[in-house]
Structure formats: structure tokens, C-alpha cells
Amino acid sequence: MKFSIDAIDIKLLEALQDDASQSNQALAARTHISPPTCLRRVKRLRDAGLIERDIAILHADKLAETLGHGLTAVVEITLDRQGAEQQEAFEARVAPDGAVQQCYRVSPGPDFVLVVHVRDMPAYLALAQRLFTSDVNVRNVKAFFSLKRSKFEPKLLLTP
């Protein structure tokens, strides 16, 4: 059965992307619906899998005062053999690693683009050894190290 959403569902999803910690009453007021309707609709969106999970987005610059800035890299990976089985095997190896924040299969160019975050360069080298160098199917690795993050907005655009 096809799941459909309407303008109210889109307003709810947009509001939750801005702040998933707001109360049901605040969310209902923001989207101009009653609290019981809001609660029912959000449950429906969760049950349908449209809301994958709620997370806290940490303020990297404020944490850097105590933990250090860390090192973020965008890493391009090219595999020697690009069959579905080899791509799935690579994903299965890298996705569970806590340092891998994002993993994308891409085309054209490299086979994968990863966003990784580690404590420092020695930690990146350990990650590269663990995930890339030790994999005989990894042909090429190209890493780009972030000097400054000017935008981080983990939101999907739901309206034009």
C-alpha cells in the first residue's frame, strides 16, 4: 500500500527537522493543528518510517574547547572490482565504523565518498589502514581534509 503525505505532514516534518525536542503542544501550535491531531500524525509518520530517528546535533566548535577540533575528511574511494557483491562488502566493512559519519555510492568518478571524523592525523592513519589499506579491493584513496566547516544542515528539502 502506498503511503501518502499532505501539506500538514510536510509542515510537521519540516518543524521536526528544525527541532525534534519541542513538545507536542509547541509542535501543534507551530503547525496550526490540535495537540491530539499532532500526536497522531507524528506517530503515523514514525510508524511509516519517514522519521528514522531523533538525535542531538552537537556544537563542534564549543566541544572543541575541551576535546579539540578533531579532523574531518571527505574521502574518495575507488574499488578495483565494482560488482554489486564487492560494493556491498565494502559498505558492510566501513558503515559500522564510528568514525565514518556518511557513506555514499557515487557515479561517475570514485565508487564511494565517505565523510569521516577522527581525533587527529594518527587516528586518521589508523582508520585508513583499518578500512582502506587492508582491503585488497581498494584501488585508490583520495582524502580531502576540512579546514573549516562553513555549513552543516542535516535537513531534507521538502518544499521548493
Side-chain angles (χ1 to χ4, degrees), residues 84-137:
E85 186 177 311
Q86 289 85 7
Q87 289 182 336
E88 288 169 11
F90 180 79
E91 284 176 339
R93 277 184 0 86
V94 301
D97 194 288
V100 177
Q101 293 182 325
Q102 299 173 56
C103 176
Y104 300 95
R105 280 192 201 185
V106 297
S107 179
D111 298 304
F112 290 91
V113 173
L114 308 178
V115 176
V116 301
H117 186 82
V118 292
R119 183 180 60 260
D120 51 25
M121 186 55 77
Y124 174 78
L125 292 173
L127 173 122
Q129 174 63 37
R130 183 173 69 248
L131 297 181
F132 315 139
T133 308
S134 64
D135 187 335
V136 296
N137 195 34

Side-chain angles (χ1 to χ4, degrees), residues 8 13 22 32 45-46 76 111 114 118 120-121 152:
I8 292 171
L13 291 169
Q22 60 192 307
H32 309 291
L45 294 168
R46 283 186 198 285
E76 294 180 353
D111 298 304
L114 308 178
V118 292
D120 51 25
M121 186 55 77
F152 177 74

Side-chain angles (χ1 to χ4, degrees), residues 39-76:
L39 196 61
R40 188 181 71 253
R41 281 182 172 254
V42 170
K43 181 181 180 335
R44 180 178 154 264
L45 294 168
R46 283 186 198 285
D47 291 347
L50 296 180
I51 300 171
E52 188 173 338
R53 60 189 169 143
D54 296 329
I55 61 167
I57 297 175
L58 306 181
H59 195 296
D61 291 337
K62 289 187 179 185
L63 275 172
E65 296 169 8
T66 56
L67 300 177
H69 281 280
L71 185 67
T72 300
V74 177
V75 185
E76 294 180 353

